[in-house]
Amino acid sequence: MRRLVLTCTAAALGVALSPVVPTASGVTAAPTGTFPDRIELPDGFQPEGIALGPGPTAWFGSRADGDIYEVSLRTGEGTVISEGPGTPSVGMKSDRQGRLYVAGGSSGTARIIDTETGAVLADRTLTTGASFVNDVVLTRTAAWFTDSSQPQLYRVDRGAGGEPGTATTTLPLTGEWVQGTGFGANGISTTPTGRALLVVNSTTGLLYRVDPATGEATQVDLGGASLTMGDGMLRHGRTLYVVRNRINEVAVLRLSRSGLTGRLVRTITAGDLPASTSFDVPTTVAKFGSHLYLPNARFTTPATPTTDYWVTRVRAKAGS
């Protein structure tokens, strides 16, 4: 039988926190209102994706078996709300109606989960070929998924109320897109106008603006900045956060309204953080209030049932 897991915040983070409070189960949790800088995930969980709220609630997906873990950002307490199918849960996004869209990695699928009940509302096969369905972004009419193994995106229709439709479409990437030999399309977001998509190529380090109607990709002029190992992305206004996983860094870019140009204004590195809350191969990013939250996938650490995993909280200063 699969376990339900209750975790909590670490008491000693190298920063001043309020005293910890013992719970009825004997697990120690931070008192309400602390918003810890480090949130513990279940041992052996192997996180990759994150989705937020509304409100101070986050969901994380397991690469090991696809479980979905819900956490209070305020207390650090959490529980598994949906047992996985035995295939990965990687990039994720939630909508205002409490639906969670989950990229299925090597399974070539996408799942839509009700965060209130944990029920799987839909399970879509996006491709039957070799693939790694890696990340997802939601627009008013669609959920767009990247494939790191193939130069193409997948569209899952969304109805007027945001409910998942039945139609799925494959959109080949054309124009200036260069696939390369390693991981290709990874993180995905929208442009500041919302009229196009932004996709990062992990291997080449290039960022592209993609026309969602045609798949034509145009390289974004970043003034020479490279985004190699680019993973999850988050756009807030004209600020784009790009997680660069194995170099333990978040690149902070300022975009033009069209998304065709951008400049690097700041980097957030492991060296900026206390050792107790630092990065260990962060993969994706979400924002709540004035802070970013990043799960640490720890790709360079052997994954065992007792390997510890955590989420790092950092300030989301956009730079100038």
Side-chain angles (χ1 to χ4, degrees):
M1 179 180 296
R2 200 184 301 266
R3 68 189 186 283
L4 284 183
V5 185
L6 178 68
T7 62
C8 60
T9 61
L13 302 180
V15 293
L17 293 178
S18 301
V20 294
V21 178
T23 65
S25 64
V27 178
T28 301
T32 300
T34 59
F35 284 93
D37 290 332
R38 173 174 170 140
I39 295 175
E40 301 294 339
L41 297 175
D43 288 352
F45 187 73
Q46 298 183 47
E48 209 279 354
I50 180 175
L52 285 190
T57 301
W59 297 276
F60 301 89
S62 169
R63 303 190 317 277
D65 56 14
D67 281 359
I68 303 298
Y69 187 73
E70 180 181 281
V71 172
S72 165
L73 300 180
R74 188 183 300 275
T75 67
E77 295 178 352
T79 188
V80 172
I81 63 163
S82 182
E83 293 189 355
T87 53
S89 290
V90 283
M92 308 192 304
K93 290 293 185 298
S94 59
D95 67 15
R96 295 180 180 275
Q97 290 75 34
R99 291 179 289 252
L100 190 66
Y101 286 73
V102 183
S106 54
S107 70
T109 65
R111 302 193 329 276
I112 298 94
I113 295 170
D114 185 331
T115 58
E116 288 295 322
T117 66
V120 177
L121 302 175
D123 191 345
R124 300 280 183 261
T125 297
L126 303 180
T127 178
T128 57
S131 64
F132 194 87
V133 181
N134 204 341
D135 206 356
V136 57
V137 68
L138 302 182
T139 67
R140 184 177 57 83
T141 59
W144 289 96
F145 294 84
T146 59
D147 189 332
S148 296
S149 297
Q150 302 293 335
Q152 56 198 28
L153 306 179
Y154 306 106
R155 172 191 166 112
V156 175
D157 287 351
R158 301 178 72 214
E163 67 278 0
T166 57
T168 62
T169 306
T170 299
L171 182 72
L173 293 170
T174 62
E176 297 178 3
W177 180 265
V178 177
Q179 179 68 12
T181 57
F183 247 38
N186 198 330
I188 185 170
S189 183
T190 55
T191 60
T193 63
R195 297 177 181 175
L197 303 170
L198 294 171
V199 179
V200 67
N201 185 305
S202 291
T203 299
T204 66
L206 301 178
L207 182 68
Y208 294 89
R209 181 187 188 274
V210 178
D211 184 332
T214 66
E216 183 176 3
T218 304
Q219 183 181 332
V220 178
D221 182 358
L222 298 179
S226 174
L227 299 176
T228 52
M229 301 185 189
D231 203 327
M233 302 199 303
L234 171 69
R235 183 184 60 77
H236 185 72
R238 289 172 58 186
T239 299
L240 182 69
Y241 301 94
V242 183
V243 183
R244 302 180 68 189
N245 51 35
R246 291 178 185 265
I247 61 174
N248 294 307
E249 178 180 295
V250 181
V252 185
L253 304 168
R254 181 69 173 173
L255 298 171
S256 64
R257 282 181 53 78
S258 67
L260 286 170
T261 62
R263 60 187 177 91
L264 182 68
V265 295
R266 180 176 176 243
T267 57
I268 304 169
T269 69
D272 298 328
L273 306 170
S276 57
T277 63
S278 194
F279 295 144
D280 192 346
V281 194
T283 45
T284 50
V285 58
K287 185 174 184 290
F288 181 76
S290 60
H291 287 82
L292 303 175
Y293 288 83
L294 300 99
N296 293 281
R298 308 196 71 192
F299 289 149
T300 58
T301 299
T304 73
T306 59
T307 303
D308 62 319
Y309 295 95
W310 67 93
V311 183
T312 297
R313 183 180 84 142
V314 299
R315 291 193 63 84
K317 295 179 181 177
S320 57

